Amino acid sequence: MSDFGVGAQVVVRDASGSDRSPWPDEPSGIIVRSGGSALAGVWGRGGGGRMWWVEFDELQTNAEGDGLFPSAQVHEKYLELAPPVDEA
């Protein structure tokens, strides 16, 4: 069970040293909707997992140099919850 859902503030990061994110600048953003289950099987054998639409805080260029993108579908393996903001 993931902690992700609509409204979650996230950062897009590499899943591991060999599993690089398609968004190399580690953008932050907010999840605006589920990406749906139809794409879950295309992420490799046994990969599964969910996709989420993330609206980026700033326009982003992907790993292929395409862009600028205001939002994208991102596999949850590349997402981390953003750290809480200290409102002191």
Side-chain angles (χ1 to χ4, degrees):
M1 183 98 165
S2 74
D3 293 326
F4 303 115
V6 174
Q9 295 181 347
V10 294
V11 178
V12 182
R13 298 221 166 115
D14 295 341
S16 70
S18 61
D19 192 359
R20 302 283 185 189
S21 162
W23 304 98
D25 293 332
E26 297 191 344
S28 58
I30 188 166
I31 294 176
V32 293
R33 68 180 186 261
S34 171
S37 59
L39 296 176
V42 302
W43 286 91
R45 215 172 287 166
R50 295 189 66 178
M51 302 286 290
W52 297 97
W53 274 99
V54 176
E55 185 173 303
F56 300 126
D57 292 335
E58 297 179 8
L59 295 174
Q60 294 297 310
T61 303
N62 67 17
E64 286 82 38
D66 297 327
L68 299 165
F69 295 97
S71 63
Q73 285 190 84
V74 180
H75 193 282
E76 68 182 5
K77 70 181 178 179
Y78 298 119
L79 298 178
E80 291 181 10
L81 291 175
V85 176
D86 183 14
E87 297 184 34

